[in-house]
Amino acid sequence: MQKKLDIAYLGHDILRSKTTRVDHIEDKAFQEFIDHMIYTVKAVNGLGIAAPQVYKKDRVFIMASKPSERYPNAPTMAPITIINPEIIKHSKTTTKDWEGCLSIPGIRGLVPRYDSITVKYTNRFGALINSSFTGFIARIFQHEIDHLNGLVFLDRLETNKDIITESEYQKIVTTSL
Ligand code: ZN
């Protein structure tokens, strides 16, 4: 049975905590936790969700991009479960683009991220995966792996002037469509 997990909001210690490697991916409780995370990220129209955002200290996150009211320009992808991730290589170039976070409602920031990354991680079936991501998906990966290291997107901003409200952001995306 899938259930919607409670979201931790900025100010709660869990979002600033260190996480630990997942060693028993096959455990029933962990597999159920993954199902709950996937269900939750869809239910709240997120593009990704990391374990600390639902009060767990496991090194796991879900990427689940699809267009929504929160992110009208997001590409569509099937949810991917990313366990014990590492960024092995990244482009020299970065691009600034708008990000939000389920744990920081009402706020958007213009966040610089690497344009492309080469990563390794373990999937929910225990297979070691080497992969490369570019653009928006690379951005989601970098946002979510930050959560596993106690960071949020606000920590990556070049200036506080790159913070805007959700309502002003909605005007920007509407006019750029
Ligand atoms: Zn986030």
Side-chain angles (χ1 to χ4, degrees), residues 2-3 6 23 30 34 44 59 62 76 86 89 97 119 122 136 141 148-150 158 161 172 176:
Q2 292 184 321
K3 69 173 179 192
D6 289 337
D23 288 326
F30 182 70
I34 291 171
V44 296
R59 291 190 71 77
I62 310 293
T76 300
E86 283 175 56
K89 247 172 40 182
D97 203 353
V119 305
T122 304
F136 200 77
F141 195 102
L148 304 186
N149 297 320
E158 289 174 354
K161 290 175 181 162
I172 292 170
S176 68

Side-chain angles (χ1 to χ4, degrees), residues 48 53 100-104 143-144 147 152-153:
Q53 293 185 275
C101 182
L102 296 172
S103 297
I104 312 172
H143 178 117
E144 299 305 335
H147 276 304
V152 298
F153 77 84

Side-chain angles (χ1 to χ4, degrees), residues 30-43:
F30 182 70
Q31 289 290 325
E32 282 174 1
F33 175 58
I34 291 171
D35 289 337
H36 297 331
M37 283 182 86
I38 292 172
Y39 182 80
T40 303
V41 74
K42 286 181 184 167

